Amino acid sequence: VGFQKILTLTYVDKLIDDVHKEFRDKYRNQFQQKGTLGLLNGTFDFKDDFLRLLRDAEESSKVRAPTVMKTFEQSVKSQKTVKCMIETRGEKPKEKVKNKKNKGSKKEGTEAVAAPGKASAGDKQPSAAGDREELTKDEILQKNREEFFKRHMKAGEKSRWVTRARSLYSSFKPALPGVPQPQQMFHNSPPLLLCSTKKGGLGGMFGMLKGLVGSKSLTRADMDPVLEKMKDHLIAKNVAAEIAVQLCESVAKKLEGKVMGTFTTVTSTVKQALQEALVQILQPQRRVDVLRDVMDAQRHRRPYVVTFCGVNGVGKSTNLAKISFWLIENGFSVLIAACDTFRAGAVEQLRTHTRRLNALHPPESHGGRTMVQLYEKGYGKDAAGIAMEAISYGRWKTGGGTCFFREESCLRCLLAYPARNQGFDVVLVDTAGRMQDNAPLMTALAKLIAVNAPDLVLFVGEALVGNEAVDQLVKFNKALADHSMAQTPRLIDGIVLTKFDTIDDKVGAAISMTYITSKPIVFVGTGQTYCDLRSLNAKAVVTALMKA
């Protein structure tokens, strides 16, 4: 009953009705005496009855014999002969007469009024038929062809193909007595002209082939209807309207004047070009390889610093914890800097994540080494200062300098720092969520990035937004550039796209974010657990985007 598309059962409706009636009749008295409580508290021994009804329903479905297809000899078509296919001029086909009888009453009324006129016209037919009987069959055919050409062709426009057709028709001879010639069978049918009768004209079959084999250059007029549909489709898939217009415009400029490929249409050519452009947008030239960069920072004996920024409620802290789990799984230790000193509960949230991650990766599994630790100073403090202290805390240190051995058994490290004999491989800096229009908070974020110079600045945005994604990224980058003291200001390096599991195939935010910044999407959040973190598959996103 629940999965009829998987298993089609013809007796389901009958079975349900039978079970309903049987159950109602068997327990009618119990329902009337006890009411609703009888249904909730009563026990019903109905298994044997149900199995009996099921068997009966299955047997009844087997009794029905399957329908057998008619043979050709049993069909109406086999009764037709060649003679019944011949039509004589002036004689109405039986099917047409039958169809006219079935028409509405209104049309029947009009035919009744017009009947006298038809009758008078029919009076002239016998004399014409008598004239035809006096002529031979060849003369009748010749006369019919001349009348046809007089009606359908102007003087002087008969092509050589018509002359050729006449000679071919006249050359046919009956192969067997009693079998009509081809010109007798089809003399009422119009001739099939394979080319134009006008000199120099290219039409019919040749014109169609010429349009298919790739001799047409694309013009803007050809592409505009297709591009308009593509633009509306992209906007419906959550691509920002401004970005959709720019994409279609760039595709039009790229294809204008281009010769179409063999057996291709304008729609398929434009769609293919748009798909290639979208894949290219999602695969920027600069690729962010976090694991490679972390190992490079290890060789220079310093922690790799990542700063997270974005608007309120997009999932910065949650995805920071997911990235921490991913780094720990790859063997790197993580220090989390709680620099969101504004939102109530922000520090407690990170503390819970740290405790959970340490439970999944206890120090005993890593030779006594703590794989994740939280650095926090409470609320109301300067976020830039806390980030600087956390980065300094995460460095490899000894009593007077840097440990060049980075060994757990290094005696110098153990003597200098008995509680922490090594630094952390990665420092993840969590910041407070802020709207792009809040100037004081954007200034504070620009200060944090300018002072601490992180290796990677990640913008955390949710996949649910459309036009808002463009506004957020543009204003975040503008604020970082305006409030930076350096000649080459530090801007956003990559994107973390969250809540990707909530949008089905409306993946347009990925296009909008990468197009406006030319920065890659480094991580994609696809759920609520630590394992729900993926890298972006550009081709899969474009396929979902172009799906109708």
Side-chain angles (χ1 to χ4, degrees), residues 138-153:
D138 292 337
E139 290 174 344
I140 293 173
L141 292 173
Q142 182 67 24
K143 189 174 180 180
N144 290 338
R145 285 197 290 269
E146 289 177 358
E147 289 177 358
F148 174 80
F149 288 123
K150 285 179 182 179
R151 288 197 304 269
H152 294 282
M153 305 193 58

Side-chain angles (χ1 to χ4, degrees), residues 261-469:
T262 305
F263 296 100
T264 57
T265 61
V266 176
T267 302
S268 62
T269 303
V270 173
K271 187 175 181 180
Q272 181 64 28
L274 185 60
Q275 284 180 328
E276 293 173 358
L278 292 172
V279 172
Q280 190 175 2
I281 288 170
L282 291 174
Q283 294 176 337
Q285 295 180 352
R286 183 181 180 273
R287 180 172 175 267
V288 176
D289 191 336
V290 176
L291 298 180
R292 180 198 61 194
D293 294 342
V294 171
M295 289 187 286
D296 185 65
Q298 279 184 337
R299 286 192 293 270
H300 292 84
R301 297 179 295 278
R302 65 175 183 81
Y304 184 77
V305 183
V306 182
T307 298
F308 295 81
C309 62
V311 300
N312 310 74
V314 294
K316 289 185 297 300
S317 301
T318 302
N319 283 274
L320 181 146
K322 292 181 185 179
I323 294 171
S324 300
F325 178 77
W326 174 70
L327 289 168
I328 296 169
E329 287 282 314
N330 283 279
F332 299 113
S333 58
V334 178
L335 178 66
I336 300 175
C339 296
D340 184 357
T341 61
F342 178 76
R343 177 171 64 91
V347 177
E348 286 75 12
Q349 182 182 3
L350 292 177
R351 188 178 294 130
T352 302
H353 281 306
T354 303
R355 186 169 59 251
R356 177 63 178 156
L357 291 169
N358 275 320
L360 295 173
H361 286 275
E364 295 79 17
S365 302
H366 298 274
R369 182 185 182 190
T370 302
M371 295 305 291
V372 59
Q373 187 174 332
L374 177 66
Y375 188 91
E376 54 98 359
K377 292 292 183 181
Y379 295 96
K381 306 290 178 30
D382 179 35
I386 296 175
M388 182 182 291
E389 292 177 15
I391 294 170
S392 178
Y393 180 82
R395 294 184 186 279
W396 291 83
K397 293 181 180 179
T398 60
T402 306
C403 173
F404 291 93
F405 300 99
R406 300 186 65 180
E407 298 286 345
E408 293 184 7
S409 59
C410 178
L411 293 177
R412 293 175 60 198
C413 293
L414 288 171
L415 291 173
Y417 291 95
R420 182 174 62 88
N421 63 310
Q422 61 180 2
F424 290 89
D425 299 315
V426 185
V427 177
L428 302 180
V429 180
D430 184 33
T431 63
R434 62 205 75 210
M435 295 305 295
Q436 64 270 23
D437 298 318
N438 193 322
L441 292 179
M442 293 304 296
T443 303
L445 177 64
K447 174 188 172 185
L448 185 148
I449 294 174
V451 169
N452 295 285
D455 298 283
L456 185 66
V457 179
L458 292 178
F459 176 84
V460 184
E462 58 185 8
L464 299 169
V465 296
N467 292 317
E468 185 68 11

Side-chain angles (χ1 to χ4, degrees), residues 21 63 66 101 108 123 243 263 280 282 303 412 421 506:
K21 293 175 183 177
V63 171
K101 291 180 181 178
E108 288 179 0
D123 294 340
I243 304 300
F263 296 100
Q280 190 175 2
L282 291 174
R412 293 175 60 198
N421 63 310
K506 291 181 172 55

Side-chain angles (χ1 to χ4, degrees), residues 95-263:
E95 292 183 0
K96 294 182 179 179
V97 175
K98 186 177 180 181
N99 290 337
K100 286 186 177 180
K101 291 180 181 178
N102 294 331
K103 290 184 180 179
S105 59
K106 186 175 181 180
K107 193 160 186 178
E108 288 179 0
T110 58
E111 288 180 355
V113 174
K118 290 182 181 177
S120 61
D123 294 340
K124 298 178 182 179
Q125 289 182 1
S127 61
D131 295 340
R132 280 199 181 89
E133 289 176 359
E134 296 174 0
L135 301 174
T136 64
K137 292 183 178 181
D138 292 337
E139 290 174 344
I140 293 173
L141 292 173
Q142 182 67 24
K143 189 174 180 180
N144 290 338
R145 285 197 290 269
E146 289 177 358
E147 289 177 358
F148 174 80
F149 288 123
K150 285 179 182 179
R151 288 197 304 269
H152 294 282
M153 305 193 58
K154 295 179 181 178
E157 286 191 347
K158 294 183 180 180
S159 69
R160 65 180 184 278
W161 297 103
V162 178
T163 307
R164 178 66 174 164
R166 282 184 178 181
S167 63
L168 287 172
Y169 273 124
S170 62
S171 65
F172 281 117
K173 300 295 181 185
L176 294 172
V179 177
Q181 295 186 28
Q183 61 263 41
Q184 290 176 317
M185 294 174 64
F186 305 109
H187 72 270
N188 284 331
S189 303
L192 175 64
L193 302 179
L194 295 183
C195 77
S196 174
T197 56
K198 293 184 179 180
K199 293 183 179 180
L202 295 174
M205 187 73 71
F206 183 71
M208 182 180 70
L209 288 174
K210 185 181 178 185
L212 289 175
V213 296
S215 61
K216 179 179 175 58
S217 297
L218 284 173
T219 63
R220 190 61 183 263
D222 297 330
M223 294 184 287
D224 278 345
V226 181
L227 289 171
E228 187 67 25
K229 292 182 180 178
M230 290 292 179
K231 183 193 73 174
D232 295 339
H233 178 77
L234 291 175
I235 294 174
K237 288 299 181 81
N238 228 11
V239 178
E242 180 184 352
I243 304 300
V245 171
Q246 293 178 14
L247 277 171
C248 293
E249 188 67 26
S250 64
V251 169
K253 289 181 180 178
K254 180 181 178 182
L255 292 179
E256 194 168 5
K258 181 181 178 181
V259 177
M260 290 173 57
T262 305
F263 296 100

